[in-house]
Amino acid sequence: MGRMQRREFMKMAGLAGAAVAFSGVPSAMAADEAAEQKAKVDATIKQITGGKEPGKGGLELKAPTIAENGAVVPVTIQPKGIVPGRLFLIVDENPIPLILDVKVSPKYSGDGAISSRIRMRKTSTVRAYAFDSKGSLYGDFKTVKVTIGGCG
Amino acid sequence: MADIGKAIIRVPKAACGEMVEVKSLITHPNDTGLVKDEKTGQLIPAHYVSSCKVEFNGETVYEFSMGPSVSKDPYLAFSIKADKAGTLKMTWKDNKGEVFEQSADINPV
């Protein structure tokens, strides 16, 4: 979409939004937000993977199925049979999806796990990616249900 | 908040050549910059730990780049192969340019 076109579009979207606000149905706005969020996540993933599809196995993402408190969600990335050189952690629904980017020097790390505690705004897919020392990509995903959001 | 940057590193006892799981915690508000102060209605400016470097005997083992979505008082656990005695040094940096350091000894038996 060109610059002028985009501007026109935004103007129209603004009007539509105002109309929606008056009619009391905010679903169009919510849909816009969801699309924006998805574009953000897709861009982040593409930046990391370079568009490659991750291989199966190689690592396991450990996170609770239901997190009661979104402010503190324990996560662990456990390599399985690979020696990772770089690890990533992404939460799809967070304002800033990329949470961890870890460079690993395999000499002392081996296939050791990495754990942290993260914030989650709401129920979301959590993604872990790993590149092994040969540059192969692996991924594991999990949906974590959040009862109380952790960003406010 | 005088306690900002106060860090704890726990290193369990390990046999030589085995993996030791090191746990670390640093006191830090880790404000995302997206939360409003309930009293003033103003956004609390972002103030979070953005990176952490782990060195063992001067060699870099892990380099963490962290987003503001890491919880308050960032916790990191990782493993290191303890094939000799040495010093583990962790260096945290926050988005305001402050640097915090803490060291721990690894003594495999």
Side-chain angles (χ1 to χ4, degrees):
Chain A
M1 201 180 273
R3 189 164 278 261
M4 282 311 286
Q5 267 176 309
R6 183 182 144 79
R7 197 168 286 170
E8 288 301 318
F9 174 77
M10 294 308 279
K11 215 184 270 174
M12 274 162 67
L15 285 173
V20 166
F22 279 121
S23 63
V25 185
S27 61
M29 297 287 273
D32 272 6
E33 222 168 83
E36 209 175 280
Q37 183 69 27
K38 190 168 182 307
K40 214 195 287 184
V41 174
D42 287 348
T44 308
I45 292 171
K46 201 165 176 215
Q47 205 185 341
I48 290 167
T49 63
K52 270 199 284 184
E53 276 296 312
K56 286 216 168 76
L59 81 159
E60 189 192 347
L61 171 67
K62 292 181 192 165
T65 312
I66 298 175
E68 274 180 26
N69 184 358
V72 189
V73 183
V75 288
T76 297
I77 304 172
Q78 174 71 61
K80 297 252 175 208
I82 64 161
V83 176
R86 199 147 180 200
L87 297 163
F88 297 94
L89 185 72
I90 295 172
V91 174
D92 280 17
E93 295 294 341
N94 270 19
I96 298 156
L98 182 62
I99 296 186
L100 284 177
D101 166 359
V102 191
K103 279 185 208 151
V104 185
S105 145
K107 190 178 165 192
Y108 284 112
S109 63
D111 56 357
I114 283 174
S115 306
S116 187
R117 291 178 195 146
I118 60 167
R119 287 190 177 109
M120 287 182 69
R121 178 163 64 167
K122 57 183 178 185
T123 301
S124 166
T125 305
V126 180
R127 300 163 194 269
Y129 288 102
F131 284 98
D132 72 4
S133 37
K134 295 182 205 101
S136 305
L137 176 70
Y138 298 92
D140 194 16
F141 320 111
K142 201 167 172 182
T143 303
V144 177
K145 205 173 164 217
V146 177
T147 322
I148 305 166
C151 291
Chain B
M1 295 270 257
D3 283 343
I4 287 184
K6 217 161 120 187
I8 304 165
I9 302 176
R10 288 243 167 88
V11 183
K13 278 197 180 126
C16 193
E18 273 186 14
M19 302 289 280
V20 259
E21 201 200 4
V22 181
K23 294 175 178 172
S24 73
L25 195 75
I26 180 163
T27 306
H28 202 283
N30 245 41
D31 290 316
T32 58
L34 304 166
V35 180
K36 273 184 186 161
D37 189 322
E38 276 175 23
K39 280 180 205 143
T40 62
Q42 301 285 312
L43 282 177
I44 301 168
H47 189 199
Y48 61 92
V49 176
S50 53
S51 71
C52 175
K53 193 154 115 179
V54 179
E55 288 163 291
F56 183 51
N57 286 341
E59 273 187 79
T60 306
V61 186
Y62 292 97
E63 271 179 277
F64 293 88
S65 295
M66 296 144 83
S69 296
V70 177
S71 298
K72 185 184 173 205
D73 299 338
Y75 164 81
L76 291 174
F78 49 86
S79 298
I80 279 187
K81 198 190 247 169
D83 59 355
K84 60 186 172 205
T87 312
L88 179 81
K89 189 174 138 200
M90 293 183 71
T91 313
W92 292 266
K93 277 183 194 157
D94 73 14
N95 67 324
K96 291 188 180 174
E98 275 181 277
V99 180
F100 315 104
E101 269 182 26
Q102 180 87 7
S103 294
D105 291 329
I106 295 182
N107 288 312
V109 282

